[in-house]
Structure formats: structure tokens, C-alpha cells
Amino acid sequence: MSRPPTFAPPPCARARVLATERGDFAVLDAVPRTPARATALLLPGYTGSKEDFVALLEPLTGAGYRVVAVDGRGQYESKGTDRQESYAQGELARDVLAQAAALGEEPGSLHLLGHSLGGQIARAAVLLDATPFRSLTLMSSGPAEVVAAQRDKVKMLSDALSVLSMDEVWQAMQALDPPQDADTGDGADMRRRWLAHNPAQLIATGAQLAAEPDRVDELASVGLPVHVLSGERDDVWPVELFDSMARRLGARRTTIAGAEHSPNTARPQETAEALAAFWDGLPDA
């Protein structure tokens, strides 16, 4: 579970509702002081939220980019249904396309980024329709299913969510946390976020992470510029898989030193610099 440094948006950003043809989504909308070079849409990972990107907002707006970080359907402050089928990957991908349309950018100009689960949803959206997008960044998001140990964790969590309340599961997770992951002062915010997640969303998307097929060749055939970014260590997908995926895609590859599965929270300045360098280096659409 990623731990953002704060849940409070910086001065460049405001929390608002993005109304789309597929419903309303909670977003953090960060705008540079000068006219934006382009807009980036950021999708969080499993159990995460838009706040996972909060430390990227100031450096990215400082580089001239408008940044919109979104809570997906059933995540934190975006409402969802209690039906697991509402969170099928195709449905979540169509949500992303609706979000892109609602931002009102010119076709082919929007930079899309997904972290972990968000990367696989972003990939699915691009495979449905790449027209809105200028680029795709896969941040700590692998080519197929997560490693066996993570599949076991997802199953254990899903089994617990099927019989326990969100608060009971939270208490159990806190009891199992090793000392280095104990409450660091953000416990109230983390708990509030957890309780706001829809358990049907967690169960459905957890199953997706455990069974995602390799669609790298499909993505390569789209021809969209891709950036594969990760930390130097990762316990969800081996870093070597990110390396090979980047080669298969002909993608830009960035490894953030000192970071693990969430470079956006562990090394936000270096991560923002890498993202802006990728976007800056793309030729005009």
C-alpha cells in the first residue's frame, strides 16, 4: 500500500469533480502558472488513490504541464457500485477514455500515466482507443500477472473482504504490519482512504492483477510512444521484466535509484524530472 507524503494538495492543485459521460470522478487538477505545454492524466494503483501523485504535482507543473490525478471508479472519493462486474478491466478502460474526453484536450495530445494496476488499466484504454493520447507511461506496471507471492496476498485480501468489514480488514492489516511499516503519522488519512474504497472494486481488480495476460505485443503494434519507469527494486514484478518489456515496446526506460514499487512517493523529484524529460523529448504530434 503506497503512502503519499501528505493527503493535502499543493497550492498549484485543487480537488474537484470531473464530470464525464460515465459518471463523476474525484481528481486533483494541478495547473502551471504559464500556459500548459500539455496535460497528463495519472491513474493510481491497487488500494491507491490520486493522492499517491501529490508529490509530483508541483515539479510537473513547474515543468509546464497540467496534471490531473484521478480516483478511479470505486477508489477513495469516486463512487462505485457493489457489483464486481462494474470493475471489469474493459469498464475501467472506458472510464479512462471518458475522463480523457472530459478534459477537453485536442486528440493525440494527452499524456497518460498509470502506476501498477493503473498501468494495466491505461494499457487497456490505449488498446481500445489510442486516439486521445500522445504517450503512455507505465510506472511500476508489468507485462502480465503479478508474482506468485503477490497473487497469494491478493487472494488473502479478497477472501477477507468477502467476510469481514473494511474496518475489520484494516485492523487485521495493521496488526500484521512489520515495525518499519508502522504508522508514520499519516494513519488517520490512510485509514480514511481505505474505508472509502469499495470492497467490490478491490476484489475485482485484485483478480485482474492475478490473471492479467501479456498484451505487450498488442501495445507495441499501436505505435504510441511508451515510457517504462520503475524503481531499482520491485516486489510486485521483477525489475528484469520491466527491462524486457521496454525492449519489446521500443520504449524509453527509466530506473529511479533508491525507489521500489512507488517511485512517485519515494523519489518524487527524480520521478517528475524523468517524466518531464520524456514528454519534452517527444516530437510534436
Side-chain angles (χ1 to χ4, degrees), residues 51-99:
E51 285 72 21
D52 291 342
F53 301 113
V54 74
L56 298 180
L57 300 181
E58 283 194 318
L60 287 178
T61 56
Y65 290 93
R66 178 190 178 196
V67 184
V68 180
V70 62
D71 287 337
R73 180 192 304 218
Q75 282 184 319
Y76 192 27
E77 295 180 320
S78 291
K79 292 183 179 180
T81 76
D82 295 331
R83 297 181 297 108
Q84 291 183 38
E85 55 267 32
S86 298
Y87 306 102
Q89 190 183 77
E91 294 300 311
L92 300 180
R94 290 179 181 88
D95 286 347
V96 174
L97 295 175
Q99 294 156 12

Side-chain angles (χ1 to χ4, degrees), residues 264-275:
N264 43 310
T265 59
R267 295 288 187 272
Q269 184 65 42
E270 296 88 341
T271 300
E273 289 172 358
L275 294 172

Side-chain angles (χ1 to χ4, degrees), residues 15-28:
R16 71 176 184 93
V17 172
L18 179 66
T20 82
E21 63 179 12
R22 291 178 61 85
D24 294 344
F25 296 89
V27 303
L28 295 177

Side-chain angles (χ1 to χ4, degrees), residues 106-238:
E106 290 292 324
S109 67
L110 186 65
H111 298 294
L112 181 61
L113 178 150
H115 173 238
S116 195
L117 170 72
Q120 297 195 332
I121 294 170
R123 179 174 73 178
V126 167
L127 291 175
L128 277 178
D129 182 7
T131 304
F133 305 113
R134 181 69 192 96
S135 74
L136 171 64
T137 296
L138 301 172
M139 179 187 290
S140 303
S141 186
E145 77 279 1
V146 297
V147 297
Q150 293 295 329
R151 295 198 296 271
D152 291 342
K153 288 183 179 180
V154 167
K155 184 180 185 306
M156 183 169 60
L157 177 58
S158 296
D159 289 347
L161 290 169
S162 298
V163 296
L164 301 175
S165 70
M166 290 293 284
D167 188 48
E168 289 170 328
V169 174
W170 173 260
Q171 292 180 46
M173 291 191 301
Q174 294 302 103
L176 292 171
D177 266 353
Q180 64 268 28
D181 291 336
D183 192 347
T184 56
D186 58 358
D189 287 328
M190 295 288 288
R191 180 177 181 273
R192 184 174 64 253
R193 177 172 73 174
W194 171 260
L195 293 179
H197 274 74
N198 191 298
Q201 188 268 353
L202 293 169
I203 293 170
T205 55
Q208 292 169 32
L209 283 170
E212 177 74 2
D214 188 321
R215 305 185 72 187
V216 174
D217 292 343
E218 291 178 68
L219 180 59
S221 70
V222 173
L224 193 70
V226 178
H227 185 191
V228 175
L229 184 149
S230 75
E232 61 183 351
R233 294 176 300 279
D234 199 295
D235 62 355
V236 182
W237 289 276

